[in-house]
Amino acid sequence: DAEITQSPRHKITETGRQVTLACHQTWNHNNMFWYRQDLGHGLRLIHYSYGVHDTNKGEVSDGYSVSRSNTEDLPLTLESAASSQTSVYFCASSELSAGQETQYFGPGTRLLVL
Amino acid sequence: GQQVMQIPQYQHVQEGEDFTTYCNSSTTLSNIQWYKQRPGGHPVFLIQLVKSGEVKKQKRLTFQFGEAKKNSSLHITATQTTDVGTYFCAGKEAAGNKLTFGGGTRVLVKP
């Protein structure tokens, strides 16, 4: 069955370190998204991609970067981790089908920055 | 930019009672989607509404899209403990494929 996976599921890191969160989907979807979820803020879009070599900034992109070298993967990099980036990170993918575009979410990565 | 607000932020419901959560967008939407996230889980798609005034039902859940396509509601009848979780609405503008999520309504059910 097609799926979307994230790794690691939990990560503890120190302020200033570079961290990369992986997202892999086997749906063959063109669209992929990264969100962070914090209490009281719901899901906020960090970066998104509509296809290979395409990346776009979301509403909270500062301090994050992504790259899309193939259809299946959209890794999220925190260039220099900050305590404010402690959060739960969700990756999602989507494709338009029969007029409906559903986002399928991965299980999430809990990141703690000390 | 587009903003999507949801109220209430928290909803404590007695099992068997009904409740409604509301979603309001600052801009006109091409469609609105609803997702449910169980505690400790990830958001899961429930439904999409596209047409002005559209109403869709899924068992005890009734979803409605406003006439102006700027607001939506989710009404749950006869709440059960399985309804526990956070319900998010997400609005899509006419251009692009990205969604703007509301802050969610966290539902707690008292048995």
Side-chain angles (χ1 to χ4, degrees):
Chain A
D1 287 342
E3 60 178 357
I4 179 166
T5 58
Q6 293 183 234
S7 63
R9 296 293 312 278
H10 299 86
K11 175 77 176 178
I12 301 174
T13 191
E14 295 177 342
T15 302
R17 291 191 179 266
Q18 184 180 77
V19 177
T20 296
L21 309 182
C23 176
H24 179 80
Q25 53 102 359
T26 58
W27 296 97
N28 201 35
H29 288 164
N30 282 320
N31 307 325
M32 294 185 74
F33 309 85
W34 273 105
Y35 296 90
R36 60 177 289 173
Q37 184 173 34
D38 307 286
L39 201 61
H41 289 279
L43 292 157
R44 292 184 290 175
L45 184 63
I46 305 171
H47 282 284
Y48 58 102
S49 168
Y50 291 151
V52 177
H53 302 311
D54 175 75
T55 61
N56 306 278
K57 293 182 178 181
E59 64 176 305
V60 289
S61 60
D62 287 349
Y64 303 93
S65 63
V66 292
S67 61
R68 188 89 180 271
S69 59
N70 58 53
T71 301
E72 295 80 15
D73 300 288
L74 186 70
L76 176 71
T77 297
L78 286 67
E79 293 134 13
S80 177
S83 57
S84 60
Q85 294 177 308
T86 292
S87 187
V88 180
Y89 292 86
F90 288 100
C91 177
S93 70
S94 74
E95 197 76 33
L96 183 64
S97 174
Q100 181 164 290
E101 184 162 352
T102 301
Q103 290 200 7
Y104 295 90
F105 284 81
T109 294
R110 290 183 178 273
L111 177 66
L112 175 60
V113 183
L114 300 175
Chain B
Q2 181 193 23
Q3 292 186 353
V4 176
M5 307 295 291
Q6 269 185 267
I7 55 171
Q9 190 173 358
Y10 296 95
Q11 181 82 53
H12 293 244
V13 190
Q14 190 71 43
E15 189 174 14
E17 290 185 343
D18 303 353
F19 77 91
T20 303
T21 175
Y22 300 91
C23 178
N24 293 287
S25 170
S26 59
T27 59
T28 302
L29 303 170
S30 65
N31 69 60
I32 196 157
Q33 299 181 9
W34 285 87
Y35 290 77
K36 177 182 179 180
Q37 183 179 22
R38 294 185 185 275
H42 58 275
V44 175
F45 175 82
L46 291 176
I47 209 159
Q48 174 177 287
L49 304 169
V50 179
K51 299 176 184 176
S52 171
E54 187 172 13
V55 178
K56 286 188 177 180
K57 291 190 176 184
Q58 286 182 352
K59 297 183 180 178
R60 295 178 294 103
L61 278 60
T62 301
F63 303 84
Q64 187 167 3
F65 202 7
E67 294 291 338
K69 300 184 74 172
K70 293 181 72 174
N71 57 72
S72 181
S73 65
L74 161 59
H75 181 78
I76 300 182
T77 59
T79 305
Q80 300 177 358
T81 54
T82 54
D83 295 324
V84 164
T86 302
Y87 293 82
F88 293 98
C89 64
K92 182 172 176 296
E93 292 186 312
N97 296 328
K98 60 187 177 79
L99 296 172
T100 300
F101 281 80
T105 294
R106 185 177 175 186
V107 176
L108 302 171
V109 179
K110 294 177 282 187

